[in-house]
Amino acid sequence: MAALAAETSLPPLPQLGAASPASQSHISPACPPHNRGLERALEEAAASGVLSLSARKLKEFPRTANNHDLADTVEADLSKNRLADVPSEVCHLVALETLNLYHNCIRSIPDSIIGLQALTCLNLRTSAVTRSCLSPGTSADCELCES
């Protein structure tokens, strides 16, 4: 019996958790599945001028935004995230007219927001920041939006 077992050897079983060659062809290491939507939103913003990153549990501005031309962005929606500060990257979007940061944990507004000369609406509703946080030099045309 022992001689028979040695002659008919079976191929080794694959390891548990190891991907088969067929399933490996569908894996894209460059863009994990949870980032595809984020990348798509950044691409759409570069094309349309509207950046929609609401409700994505962001704690910081996406680093991959540097790979996209967002210079003509006129509206940015970063609401319903976990941001503690106004992202400094947003202060470089010189064409920005509307900035929605409501339902975040924003504690202060950076002085660099003064560079957003086109900004007419800054929505910080349900954030920790108050109207008194706006610097005296902030554009007179900018208002804290209530809705």
Side-chain angles (χ1 to χ4, degrees):
M1 280 288 225
L4 180 60
E7 291 175 11
T8 59
S9 64
L10 296 174
L13 293 173
Q15 293 179 350
L16 289 178
S20 68
S23 68
Q24 287 177 350
S25 65
H26 299 290
I27 297 173
S28 174
C31 191
H34 63 278
N35 286 340
R36 285 189 191 130
L38 182 61
E39 284 302 311
R40 186 174 298 123
L42 292 168
E43 289 169 6
E44 288 175 7
S48 70
V50 177
L51 178 61
S52 298
L53 297 177
S54 180
R56 295 180 183 265
K57 300 179 182 178
L58 299 176
K59 292 182 181 179
E60 61 184 19
F61 198 73
R63 291 186 182 115
T64 57
N66 292 333
N67 301 333
H68 304 276
D69 181 11
L70 301 176
D72 295 329
T73 302
V74 294
E75 182 179 333
D77 185 357
L78 298 168
S79 63
K80 301 177 185 174
N81 281 297
R82 298 176 182 170
L83 300 170
D85 299 302
V86 175
S88 61
E89 295 88 348
V90 169
C91 296
H92 299 291
L93 304 176
V94 294
L96 201 59
E97 297 172 4
T98 302
L99 177 56
N100 284 316
L101 289 165
Y102 68 89
H103 201 75
N104 274 290
C105 305
I106 305 294
R107 298 171 302 207
S108 64
I109 301 171
D111 292 335
S112 57
I113 204 161
I114 252 177
L116 298 177
Q117 296 298 312
L119 190 66
T120 57
C121 181
L122 174 61
N123 189 342
L124 294 165
R125 191 173 32 113
T126 66
S127 289
V129 73
T130 63
R131 190 175 291 272
S132 63
C133 291
L134 280 174
S135 302
T138 303
S139 172
D141 295 332
C142 182
E143 62 183 61
L144 287 174
C145 301
E146 298 298 324
S147 57

